[in-house]
Amino acid sequence: MEDNNMPEEDLPFQFRDWAYLPPEVVELISKKVKSITDYVRFRAVCSTWRSASLPNSSHLPPQLPWLMLPFEPRPNQTDPDEKDNGIRLLYDLWEGKMRRLYLPETIDMMCCASYHGWLLLVSVKGREVFLLNPLTRERIQLPSFTSPVKLLGNDSDSPRFDATSYFESYHGCFGKSTMTFSVDITDPNCMITVFIRPYKVICCRVGDPCWTRVLSRRNRYLIDATYYNGQFYFLYGEAMDIIKSNKPEERIVFNFDPELKGVRMHLLDGKSGIYVVAFHPDGNVEVYQFQEQPLKLKVTGTSDTIIFSGCIIRPHLAICSDDWDSLDGDSIYMENNGLFNVDESRRPHYSIFAFDRDANEIEHIVRNPGKKQLCWPPEPALWFQPSFM
């Protein structure tokens, strides 16, 4: 008969308790885990493993994004099954499954944008604004959109920035904003830039009492905007403006070649600078890198990059394919919000497609990952890149 009271080091291999692995071995194993969900499971095995691995590990590579489906309540809803219970649905592209996160902070709030693992949440009429990390549940308060703003380069108050009309109700609110950070959000010098369509670009730092507005061109529809390396980039249908944060009165204007005018485009802040992704009418997709000296756009290769794109009014992001051995670079994952996808019941649905730029082929990844949508047209889903940081 086996003696199960033997010292751990004398037990046969099949009887050894994995909880007694040396802490340095557990830490070494934890650093081999690449998926953030696997890392959470790893730390949940036992208290020993949890204490031997960092709660916010920096070794994790940029994660494949999840597609966050918006909650769309109907007016005067009386069905308790349709009331907002704070549960949000996110489709995990890496594991090919739907995840349910309980986020009571999102109840009665509009999820307007995401960036580097943070969600931008805005109350109706913009009275309350804050950032939320859904994994750590950390919350960062930002100035209200109803407060007076300053103009960039001018310390005096400007006319009140009234954003209430952009956040009057749930319908239509999800596509209003995009967001970028200048550096990691934990840095006190981090500049948070929010683009509220169709022409409002505002920025602030954590702790600022109000937002600062960056003026766009009058009578021009602003397609996209971002902040990178001390400069604001404004994308119009026919040109791009570059505005230095320390010299806002100096505006560099770059006019596009005729073949790009009127083409659906968006900005992307990549590893080496600013990129313009252009979706041509013939179905071809080109990625251009912006160069300041000399001032031009040049077609660039993306053999080590995966781009995630929503419809034109949603955020876009890119990750390095080298971090994910099973995924090829030079591909674009696109979300279709159902405007052209209607099932047999005439209800719209969400779909995810992968476009291989090298082979010029489109692969259907998943169709209708969540429940059928009730609104027409449906609100766009949101690419969300999970992160502990």
Side-chain angles (χ1 to χ4, degrees):
M1 184 174 179
E2 296 285 354
D3 181 7
N4 289 333
N5 293 320
M6 294 172 60
E8 178 71 20
E9 61 271 14
D10 295 332
L11 283 173
F13 176 78
Q14 61 268 31
F15 290 107
R16 291 182 181 175
D17 190 340
W18 283 74
Y20 287 93
L21 283 174
E24 59 271 16
V25 175
V26 175
E27 183 181 5
L28 182 63
I29 295 173
S30 72
K31 290 182 177 180
K32 301 294 183 181
V33 180
K34 295 170 61 174
S35 167
I36 199 166
T37 51
D38 287 343
Y39 192 75
V40 171
R41 295 187 187 110
F42 181 92
R43 300 190 72 249
V45 169
C46 62
S47 58
T48 304
W49 285 29
R50 185 161 52 252
S51 61
S53 54
L54 297 174
N56 300 334
S57 182
S58 59
H59 83 276
L60 291 169
Q63 299 293 295
L64 289 181
W66 299 347
L67 189 66
M68 184 175 185
L69 304 184
F71 178 80
E72 300 176 321
R74 289 177 290 182
N76 304 317
Q77 181 57 255
T78 58
D79 186 350
D81 292 334
E82 295 294 340
K83 289 185 177 179
D84 192 351
N85 57 7
I87 293 177
R88 298 295 177 257
L89 300 179
L90 300 98
Y91 182 77
D92 184 340
L93 191 63
W94 176 248
E95 297 195 359
K97 63 172 62 174
M98 186 65 70
R99 302 202 171 277
R100 294 164 60 89
L101 292 185
Y102 176 55
L103 300 173
E105 299 91 343
T106 63
I107 296 177
D108 295 329
M109 301 295 289
M110 304 176 185
C111 186
C112 298
S114 75
Y115 193 70
H116 287 190
W118 293 85
L119 300 175
L120 176 67
L121 298 179
V122 183
S123 67
V124 175
K125 296 185 181 295
R127 294 192 183 99
E128 184 180 12
V129 183
F130 62 89
L131 301 175
L132 176 72
N133 186 319
L135 297 188
T136 65
R137 302 289 290 276
E138 185 178 355
R139 172 171 167 164
I140 297 176
Q141 199 70 34
L142 298 178
S144 168
F145 283 156
T146 59
S147 302
V149 300
K150 295 184 181 297
L151 287 180
L152 187 66
N154 189 341
D155 290 334
S156 61
D157 288 345
S158 69
R160 178 178 291 272
F161 167 47
D162 187 3
T164 57
S165 61
Y166 299 103
F167 304 98
E168 286 287 354
S169 65
Y170 280 94
H171 186 69
C173 73
F174 292 92
K176 295 293 186 186
S177 308
T178 58
M179 174 175 62
T180 54
F181 303 155
S182 60
V183 290
D184 188 272
I185 191 66
T186 59
D187 190 317
N189 294 316
C190 176
M191 173 85 77
I192 303 165
T193 301
V194 176
F195 167 38
I196 304 176
R197 295 181 185 277
Y199 54 86
K200 306 285 188 184
V201 178
I202 55 177
C203 61
C204 76
R205 290 182 171 85
V206 176
D208 281 357
C210 66
W211 292 90
T212 297
R213 184 177 174 188
V214 188
L215 292 180
S216 60
R217 278 198 255 170
R218 288 182 178 274
N219 303 319
R220 291 290 187 273
Y221 184 82
L222 188 57
I223 297 174
D224 206 353
T226 191
Y227 179 89
Y228 181 83
N229 198 25
Q231 298 185 144
F232 296 94
Y233 294 80
F234 287 7
L235 180 66
Y236 304 92
E238 73 291 344
M240 182 162 61
D241 289 358
I242 302 96
I243 304 169
K244 295 182 181 296
S245 59
N246 59 348
K247 294 182 179 180
E249 67 282 358
E250 297 180 8
R251 185 184 299 258
I252 301 172
V253 179
F254 174 70
N255 294 304
F256 295 138
D257 293 335
E259 60 267 21
L260 281 181
K261 293 183 178 179
V263 174
R264 173 190 159 186
M265 294 182 289
H266 64 250
L267 295 174
L268 195 67
D269 52 325
K271 295 177 296 181
S272 305
I274 293 296
Y275 297 85
V276 175
V277 182
F279 296 85
H280 294 275
D282 61 2
N284 188 33
V285 181
E286 292 286 357
V287 180
Y288 303 85
Q289 184 175 7
F290 179 72
Q291 273 189 193
E292 287 196 51
Q293 295 182 352
L295 199 63
K296 68 175 183 178
L297 287 179
K298 66 173 184 177
V299 177
T300 183
T302 54
S303 59
D304 64 345
T305 303
I306 307 171
I307 295 172
F308 293 86
S309 172
C311 65
I312 196 168
I313 58 174
R314 299 307 281 153
H316 320 280
L317 56 95
I319 66 170
C320 180
S321 60
D322 291 347
D323 294 325
W324 303 97
D325 300 332
S326 62
L327 294 181
D328 296 327
D330 211 23
S331 58
I332 299 177
Y333 284 78
M334 295 174 285
E335 169 262 328
N336 188 306
N337 70 349
L339 290 173
F340 304 103
N341 283 323
V342 181
D343 62 16
E344 60 278 0
S345 67
R346 307 303 297 170
R347 291 272 185 92
H349 60 79
Y350 293 102
S351 294
I352 302 175
F353 300 88
F355 174 58
D356 187 326
R357 295 183 66 228
D358 185 49
N360 198 28
E361 295 178 350
I362 292 181
E363 177 187 359
H364 199 168
I365 302 299
V366 63
R367 181 177 184 269
N368 198 24
K371 64 181 181 179
K372 291 180 173 61
Q373 303 304 305
L374 301 174
C375 294
W376 180 262
E379 299 294 353
L382 175 69
W383 286 115
F384 164 74
Q385 194 172 15
S387 173
F388 286 133
M389 307 305 290

